[in-house]
Amino acid sequence: MKYLEARHLRLSQVKAVDIPALFNQNNIPYNSIDVINWHAFPYCPKVEFAIAHTGDTILLHYRVEEDGVRAVAGEDLGNVWEDSCCEFFASPDADGSYYNLESNCIGTILLCNGKGREERMQAPLSALKKIDRWASLGRKVIGLDEKAHQWELSLVIPVSAFFRHKISNLSGLIIHGNFYKCGDKTAHPHFLSWNPIDIPSPDFHRPDFFGEIKFL
């Protein structure tokens, strides 16, 4: 199981658009999402992420280089996993449930909670609206673009996004989770993870293969 630490940045408010520069100034390390778990899907774009927190928000930054992008889902809770998509799955306690926070390359978000792939509860729109996003490609639907792209995505995720848990402060919290890059309907379908998943066919809804994240 992989392990990483999310540093505490003592700031009162952070905007998603400022995260790349903020992480650079504070030397926040980046981690690769590069595990090819299923060799039927060998395509491996270059993907890395960095994570930090402010106590009551999680700060995420993804950097991606891939041969073409897809961005069809323009409304939250849509099929973002079919687009060029980065995902953060997180289980904040031992109750067995986990959140899947998925975002395509234009910042459209899917957020749900449950104990498995089926019967997941979608986040209320009020929770989704509080997640600040910045996408280097802009927020408008692109469709399928088969040119090579470098793109970035930043998210400011308040603790209220964990809408079925009561978390007031992230400091000292240890959660289990995984980070993914996928694109089911892109020109080059792929299913990459940060922590390896040892099963025969693609499935990200596997908390038994989550890594560990400690919020300092």
Side-chain angles (χ1 to χ4, degrees):
M1 176 179 19
K2 289 185 178 178
Y3 168 85
L4 64 80
E5 296 176 342
R7 282 175 47 195
H8 187 178
L9 301 182
R10 301 185 185 281
L11 301 166
S12 57
Q13 288 187 329
V14 177
K15 294 182 178 180
V17 67
D18 297 326
I19 287 178
L22 179 67
F23 280 12
N24 182 57
Q25 293 164 5
N26 287 274
N27 297 312
I28 302 299
Y30 284 78
N31 307 270
S32 294
I33 303 175
D34 59 1
V35 179
I36 300 174
N37 300 284
W38 303 285
H39 293 287
F41 301 95
Y43 177 61
C44 186
K46 182 179 179 181
V47 188
E48 55 187 9
F49 72 93
I51 183 171
H53 74 100
T54 66
D56 61 358
T57 64
I58 295 173
L59 311 178
L60 270 180
H61 183 216
Y62 298 97
R63 300 192 295 213
V64 181
E65 297 179 22
E66 61 182 321
D67 296 330
V69 296
R70 184 183 191 270
V72 173
E75 299 291 333
D76 285 349
L77 301 179
N79 295 355
V80 297
W81 66 88
E82 297 177 346
D83 292 340
S84 298
C85 185
C86 292
E87 305 183 355
F88 172 41
F89 281 37
S91 181
D93 61 24
D95 70 352
S97 73
Y98 60 92
Y99 295 85
N100 56 302
L101 196 162
E102 310 175 20
S103 180
N104 67 8
C105 58
I106 58 171
T108 306
I109 285 177
L110 173 66
L111 175 61
C112 304
N113 176 268
K115 293 188 176 182
R117 172 179 288 277
E118 307 302 328
E119 298 182 359
R120 300 191 64 73
M121 178 181 289
Q122 292 185 338
L125 292 178
S126 58
L128 291 165
K129 288 179 180 178
K130 293 178 181 178
I131 301 174
D132 188 33
R133 327 86 195 262
W134 169 76
S136 63
L137 296 178
R139 296 297 311 280
K140 295 182 179 179
V141 168
I142 296 171
L144 182 62
D145 184 344
E146 297 190 28
K147 298 191 302 292
H149 281 271
Q150 296 182 2
W151 57 271
E152 301 179 41
L153 173 70
S154 298
L155 303 174
V156 178
I157 307 159
V159 291
S160 59
F162 297 116
F163 57 94
R164 298 181 78 181
H165 291 77
K166 294 187 181 298
I167 300 172
S168 58
N169 195 324
L170 292 160
S171 296
L173 184 67
I174 296 176
I175 71 171
H176 291 87
N178 212 342
F179 297 85
Y180 309 117
K181 171 68 176 76
C182 64
D184 290 33
K185 293 188 177 181
T186 60
H188 306 280
H190 53 282
F191 304 92
L192 308 176
S193 67
W194 167 64
N195 203 59
I197 305 171
D198 187 15
I199 55 175
S201 58
D203 185 2
F204 287 163
H205 288 266
R206 295 299 300 253
D208 46 335
F209 293 103
F210 282 179
E212 188 174 277
I213 305 161
K214 182 175 182 179
F215 290 85
L216 302 179

